Amino acid sequence: MVPARRCLLSLSSSSSLRPSLAKAFVSASSSPRSYSSPAAPTTKRKLNLPIDLNASSYLAQTPQQALSLPELPDSVKSSKTKRLNLYQAINDGLSTILETDPKSLIFGEDVSFGGVFRCTTTLLDRFGSQRVFNTPLTEQGIMGFAIGLSGSGYTALPEIQFADYLFPAFDQLHNEASKWRYRSGGAESFNSGNLVVRMPCGAVGHGGLYHSQSPEGFFLGMQGVKVVIPRGPIQAKGLLIAAARAGDPIVFMEPKILYRGAIEEVPVGEYELPIGKAEVLQKGKDVTLVSYGTLVYTCEMAAKAAKEKLGVEVEVIDLRTVHPWDKKTVVDSVNKTGRCVVVHEASRTGGIGESVGAEVQERCFLRLEAPVTRITGWDTPMPLVFESLIVPDVARIFDGIKRVIEY
Amino acid sequence: MRPVLRARIPLTLPASRRAFTPSTLRPGIRQPPDSDTVRFPGAVESKFTHELSFHRPQDVPAMPTYRFINAEGVVVDKKSKLDIGKEKALKMYKDMVTASVMDLIMYDSQRQGRISFYMVSAGEEGIAVGSAAALHDEDVIYSQYREQGALMYRGYTLDEFMSQLFANKKDYGKGRNMPVHYMSERLRLFPISSPLATQIPHAVGAAYALKLDNSPNIVMCYFGEGAASEGDFHAALNIAATRDCPVVFLCRNNGYAISTPTLEQYKGDGIASRGIGYGIETIRVDGNDIMAVYAATKAARETASKRQKPVLIEAMSYRVSHHSTSDDSFAYRAKVDVEEWKRRDNPITRFRKWLEANNWWSGDEETALRTQTRKDVLRAFTKAEKESKPAVREIFTDVFKHATPELQEQREELRRIIEAYPEEYDLGEYDGGKAGI
């Protein structure tokens, strides 16, 4: 009881006290307020150093960087940008959807006042209580209600307060939303295509068992639903807008540690990023590093260390859509590098890494020079004080890269 | 755990931001010192009492069961006027009979192995037809699986029933669902799925959509008393009430959920007593009295449409049939009880008595109807049985709006297997055979 309460108090108070939440991300491994045990005294560390998101090349730090992204439409390339963090970009994306689609609506637990992570702030005032409203506290009800709306031609944007609490709605998502189009023979209206369920996910430094989960692996067995995990504000906005228009039910998992931590220049205009496409974040010829969400920044640091200490050039891929994930981009990369390391926060067994490992093995067998290696959370629940020993860090990813190189 | 957590977060927000939210704009609840009324936000109408007493369910009389005509077909509700003219009454009667005739034929055909599965609605035809007859054509229907009479009244044809049951290429579900999982976009009959009660929150979402559309239409949602034990029932009724959704929930309480009698399903006064707890207007009706079901549904529809409120109807009946073709109900109940129910009260015979009393129906017409219905059903049956199954490619379509690369690859893999081992696969019954992939 007490730790759960404190974890969020500290999350939200730290957010309002320190707007640059790159530090919140950092604090998970270095702050004395962190509930996780440091792996070693900070002073001697060479790899597991604080990660400064404000310095990441995977976030657009300048308007020029933001507007030069090749996937943006021309109309947006000449527009302006705004400095937004992840929750503000989600808010921007949601408000774009509500503005452009009069039949779209947002609902869930506590979304009216702006949401416990501020993602829906001001939307009620702008779009009215018919379109932005609280529901009773029932995840299965929220999901079922959303499916009914979607089948009636409305774009339903339900929120599950934490991915950890998705499970009461699993039946609705798995047996209903994912199968509606299929069991209805592709009928025009009998589908859940206008459904995007948003949920905060991932470790946050002190979330314990039920405010830390990364349940994306469960979706690998759920056909008919797509799962998207953005790594930052630009992606969040573009993927969210695309998800609302994609015609398939989409689970949109938002790494909550990045809500205030990941800040970048976000194009002001309306744009979509492709669902189902991975993004190559940096080119390399020796190892393919596959990840998504929060851990791409840890991968960035590990790749940098590998370059400095081992002279290894790592190709880093952000899956963006984790189910079904972009096999072509990954396979093309591994066929070039001959080595593959998959990194995720979720448990190893049943995780995305299993799928990537098996597919790469089948598709790149003759090119593989080392076993596909997975750097993941352990097969345990997420215990409060041990988080930093569970979430993959720079040292573990570096070690993975080293192992596949030396194999 | 969670409520504590959820409650804490808003408190950390700056007060200025909170001022914009509607929940904080509500006037404060103040309580004068000598007030005899509770002003706790969770129950503002409650009075204080100095008597320590628990409210015992057994002290509340069971909700009465509304009847319009009695078992002899005589009108007992002299006050309500029903707009059932001869034409409508005969359609209602014929649809009940057609549903029961189709049930008998399809039950036997499953026994002969000609379809894979079937569920009859014997004893519940009055609930299905009576409620559907009170709806408007544009009202939306979400059903469980034992409401074929409602679909029939709406206009679902025998050909459509048979195509679904035989899972042939004319089946809207492309042969993917078990029999009895009907649907029709044309008639706004939402697709039936096997997981129980999942359709109840769907119906509420659909009703909210109608509300936003400013539509006069409503959603009718059917389920059994067993399904009402699912969490989705609770979730749905609660959302329907809090969002004021124009939906009529119709519970068919037929005494059994497969083998489980209601005594093991719930301890309260049926399903109806729960409606009140959710703040939903509720009525219990005699499900063997098609007129009572019609009258209640019509009034409920009015409430849902005009006042934009959900309504709950609990229609009492008895499942005289087996649960499905996979069930032998005499393993858990006495045959004599079932025979007794069949003899004592039946929605079809009861309504027929009323029709005959009005001189709207005769023995000769009855014989002609049954002969003709049997012929019609068998004709549709034969036609559907001869139709080919959907093309093999339909395995892979409609999973997503557009086929993913994975699905395209897997379809190619199946094609390769079929070509490599042609003698292992007989695709003659599928549309286009081998070329259908």
Side-chain angles (χ1 to χ4, degrees):
Chain A
M1 197 81 154
V2 173
R5 182 173 66 79
R6 284 162 79 191
C7 87
L8 275 155
L9 275 176
S10 108
L11 172 68
S12 34
S13 63
S14 65
S15 357
S16 48
L17 291 173
R18 294 176 295 166
S20 159
L21 251 107
K23 283 184 191 159
F25 189 46
V26 167
S27 75
S29 53
S30 66
S31 157
R33 294 181 60 223
S34 169
Y35 286 84
S36 304
S37 324
T42 321
T43 46
K44 290 187 183 167
R45 293 182 181 188
K46 292 188 179 62
L47 293 167
N48 285 342
L49 300 170
I51 294 170
D52 182 3
L53 295 181
N54 286 323
S56 171
S57 65
Y58 300 167
L59 290 167
Q61 309 290 358
T62 66
Q64 291 73 22
Q65 278 176 311
L67 297 174
S68 63
L69 292 172
E71 285 166 336
L72 292 178
D74 289 341
S75 57
V76 168
K77 279 182 180 156
S78 54
S79 76
K80 289 194 167 139
T81 63
K82 237 186 329 191
R83 211 167 163 72
L84 300 179
N85 64 25
L86 184 70
Y87 90 69
Q88 291 164 332
I90 287 162
N91 186 271
D92 194 16
L94 289 173
S95 100
T96 304
I97 297 164
L98 290 176
E99 267 164 19
T100 54
D101 175 0
K103 297 193 97 175
S104 57
L105 51 166
I106 294 174
F107 49 92
E109 296 156 13
D110 309 302
V111 300
S112 291
F113 86 107
V116 298
F117 289 110
R118 312 311 296 146
C119 291
T120 52
T121 186
T122 75
L123 298 179
L124 168 71
D125 297 332
R126 291 169 58 201
F127 300 100
S129 61
Q130 297 267 53
R131 295 181 65 197
V132 180
F133 53 89
N134 290 339
T135 62
L137 207 162
T138 166
E139 285 77 13
Q140 66 194 102
I142 291 169
M143 198 70 74
F145 184 78
I147 293 167
L149 279 164
S150 175
S152 302
Y154 278 80
T155 304
L157 304 163
E159 177 180 301
I160 299 293
Q161 202 160 71
F162 287 83
D164 312 59
Y165 307 129
L166 168 70
F167 297 98
F170 222 65
D171 181 44
Q172 283 288 354
L173 203 54
H174 179 61
N175 276 328
E176 297 294 335
S178 82
K179 295 172 176 56
W180 252 43
R181 188 186 292 280
Y182 193 71
R183 69 175 160 84
S184 308
E188 191 77 22
S189 57
F190 296 160
N191 63 71
S192 312
N194 309 316
L195 170 69
V196 183
V197 51
R198 297 176 36 251
M199 57 185 93
C201 71
V204 69
H206 41 228
L209 277 70
Y210 305 110
H211 299 82
S212 307
Q213 293 179 34
S214 300
E216 63 271 14
F218 286 96
F219 294 102
L220 289 171
M222 186 184 287
Q223 312 313 336
V225 160
K226 294 183 178 177
V227 183
V228 173
I229 306 182
R231 73 162 184 279
I234 292 180
Q235 274 192 6
K237 179 179 171 182
L239 290 170
L240 189 55
I241 294 171
R245 299 169 179 174
D248 291 312
I250 290 181
V251 174
F252 199 83
M253 295 173 62
E254 301 162 358
K256 63 176 113 40
I257 199 167
L258 301 179
Y259 271 142
R260 291 164 193 263
I263 300 167
E264 65 185 331
E265 293 291 335
V266 179
V268 172
E270 176 187 326
Y271 64 93
E272 293 179 28
L273 293 175
I275 308 279
K277 286 282 291 176
E279 183 183 355
V280 179
L281 294 177
Q282 71 183 57
K283 292 270 183 198
K285 61 175 176 48
D286 300 319
V287 181
T288 300
L289 195 52
V290 179
S291 193
Y292 50 87
T294 313
L295 287 187
V296 297
Y297 307 106
T298 318
C299 287
E300 182 182 24
M301 300 307 286
K304 199 169 152 228
K307 172 81 178 157
E308 284 165 7
K309 297 186 199 312
L310 311 171
V312 168
E313 288 183 26
V314 179
E315 180 145 309
V316 181
I317 294 176
D318 176 2
L319 287 180
R320 297 195 288 194
T321 298
V322 301
H323 173 63
W325 54 274
D326 179 359
K327 304 201 174 43
K328 183 168 189 309
T329 300
V330 173
V331 166
D332 286 352
S333 175
V334 179
N335 276 337
K336 182 175 71 177
T337 62
R339 295 173 179 87
C340 180
V341 177
V342 193
V343 179
H344 58 68
E345 214 173 280
S347 301
R348 184 165 304 173
T349 305
I352 302 293
E354 286 190 350
S355 179
V356 174
E359 294 286 348
V360 165
Q361 178 272 128
E362 272 196 57
R363 292 163 195 260
C364 311
F365 184 69
L366 292 176
R367 284 291 299 124
L368 277 179
E369 308 207 17
V372 177
T373 298
R374 289 171 289 160
I375 311 296
T376 67
W378 311 120
D379 286 350
T380 66
M382 183 71 87
L384 181 75
V385 298
F386 302 116
E387 186 185 294
S388 66
L389 293 165
I390 292 178
V391 176
D393 55 21
V394 180
R396 284 179 58 201
I397 301 170
F398 174 83
D399 179 72
I401 295 168
K402 192 158 169 275
R403 274 190 285 143
V404 295
I405 289 294
E406 291 173 352
Y407 188 80
Chain B
M1 276 302 248
R2 281 198 284 152
V4 174
L5 184 72
R6 291 162 202 266
R8 291 294 171 183
I9 300 155
L11 298 181
T12 64
L13 294 168
S16 58
R17 226 186 272 170
R18 277 188 281 141
F20 289 107
T21 67
S23 52
T24 52
L25 289 177
R26 277 188 208 133
I29 295 166
R30 290 191 181 75
Q31 189 165 342
D34 57 345
S35 172
D36 68 338
T37 303
V38 181
R39 302 309 294 272
F40 294 118
V44 287
E45 303 301 326
S46 175
K47 299 257 194 238
F48 286 117
T49 174
H50 53 264
E51 220 176 274
L52 174 66
S53 74
F54 288 85
H55 289 254
R56 305 190 316 160
Q58 59 268 41
D59 295 341
V60 181
M63 199 178 284
T65 301
Y66 170 70
R67 274 186 161 185
F68 192 91
I69 52 175
N70 64 16
E72 281 67 53
V74 177
V75 174
V76 287
D77 176 0
K78 310 283 186 202
K79 277 187 267 174
S80 304
K81 290 270 173 280
L82 291 191
D83 56 348
I84 303 182
K86 182 177 177 185
E87 196 187 339
K88 182 159 188 147
L90 291 184
K91 172 165 169 56
M92 288 165 76
Y93 183 70
K94 286 174 184 171
D95 284 344
M96 275 206 285
V97 170
T98 307
S100 74
V101 169
M102 181 179 81
D103 275 355
L104 286 173
I105 292 172
M106 297 321 290
Y107 187 86
D108 288 346
S109 79
Q110 193 283 334
R111 284 291 179 250
Q112 295 164 11
R114 293 166 84 172
I115 59 171
S116 58
F117 178 77
Y118 196 70
M119 304 178 97
V120 308
S121 64
E124 296 173 62
E125 300 93 339
I127 299 174
V129 174
S131 56
L135 300 177
H136 291 192
D137 286 348
E138 297 294 306
D139 289 340
V140 170
I141 293 180
Y142 275 86
S143 43
Q144 181 166 303
Y145 50 57
R146 214 183 289 285
E147 294 90 6
Q148 39 267 58
L151 278 53
M152 212 164 257
Y153 190 89
R154 179 57 73 87
Y156 205 63
T157 65
L158 286 174
D159 284 337
E160 289 176 306
F161 277 108
M162 294 301 156
S163 294
Q164 201 288 324
L165 294 168
F166 281 101
N168 67 29
K169 69 176 191 184
K170 287 186 173 163
D171 168 30
Y172 300 133
K174 298 186 181 169
R176 290 163 182 161
N177 305 282
M178 284 175 75
V180 190
H181 292 52
Y182 309 112
M183 77 187 82
S184 168
E185 281 193 290
R186 172 175 59 91
L187 300 172
R188 307 186 92 181
L189 304 170
F190 273 70
I192 292 168
S193 73
S194 309
L196 284 181
T198 49
Q199 80 280 14
I200 315 178
H202 301 169
V204 178
Y208 191 70
L210 291 175
K211 183 189 185 79
L212 292 184
D213 289 341
N214 290 316
S215 163
N217 291 112
I218 66 133
V219 178
M220 166 59 87
C221 179
Y222 295 96
F223 51 89
E225 91 285 348
S229 295
E230 293 281 3
D232 279 324
F233 165 87
H234 160 67
L237 268 73
N238 201 23
I239 298 182
T242 55
R243 295 306 298 175
D244 293 323
C245 297
V247 52
V248 175
F249 300 108
L250 197 155
C251 177
R252 295 177 291 96
N253 190 335
N254 62 16
Y256 287 92
I258 305 187
S259 74
T260 306
T262 51
L263 284 174
E264 293 169 16
Q265 197 63 250
Y266 51 72
K267 195 76 180 171
D269 178 24
I271 308 305
S273 65
R274 300 181 196 165
I276 304 300
Y278 292 109
I280 292 178
E281 293 180 25
T282 302
I283 189 171
R284 172 175 285 156
V285 302
D286 182 343
N288 289 338
D289 175 0
I290 189 169
M291 310 265 283
V293 175
Y294 176 84
T297 310
K298 192 162 182 288
R301 191 199 174 279
E302 194 82 350
T303 299
S305 174
K306 298 259 166 69
R307 291 196 281 129
Q308 296 283 290
K309 298 262 182 230
V311 183
L312 172 63
I313 301 172
E314 182 182 27
M316 312 309 290
S317 73
Y318 187 85
R319 197 194 78 211
V320 293
S321 63
H322 300 301
H323 164 71
S324 73
T325 48
S326 309
D327 170 52
D328 172 13
S329 68
F330 301 132
Y332 49 80
R333 60 181 183 180
K335 201 166 184 171
V336 58
D337 288 352
V338 178
E339 290 308 318
E340 169 72 7
W341 265 101
K342 276 187 184 167
R343 206 172 40 248
R344 188 170 61 203
D345 197 10
N346 173 295
I348 297 177
T349 47
R350 207 203 282 195
F351 193 48
R352 187 177 152 194
K353 285 176 187 168
W354 181 79
L355 290 173
E356 286 173 350
N358 278 359
N359 286 322
W360 287 354
W361 198 245
S362 67
D364 288 349
E365 285 170 300
E366 178 73 17
T367 315
L369 172 68
R370 291 197 174 262
T371 311
Q372 187 59 43
T373 304
R374 210 181 139 72
K375 266 189 204 159
D376 293 345
V377 171
L378 287 173
R379 191 183 302 121
F381 180 103
T382 313
K383 199 168 130 195
E385 195 176 29
K386 280 188 198 146
E387 197 66 75
S388 55
K389 303 287 177 216
V392 175
R393 77 174 72 87
E394 302 292 2
I395 295 171
F396 300 99
T397 58
D398 308 323
V399 178
F400 292 105
K401 190 172 183 186
H402 305 291
T404 57
E406 289 78 12
L407 285 166
Q408 287 165 1
E409 275 181 16
Q410 288 168 28
R411 185 172 134 188
E412 284 311 311
E413 191 178 335
L414 178 60
R415 189 204 304 273
R416 180 183 64 74
I417 291 287
I418 287 169
E419 280 168 4
Y421 305 91
E423 67 282 8
E424 303 297 327
Y425 301 93
D426 180 9
L427 303 183
E429 63 176 341
Y430 297 101
D431 194 32
K434 210 171 100 178
I437 195 164

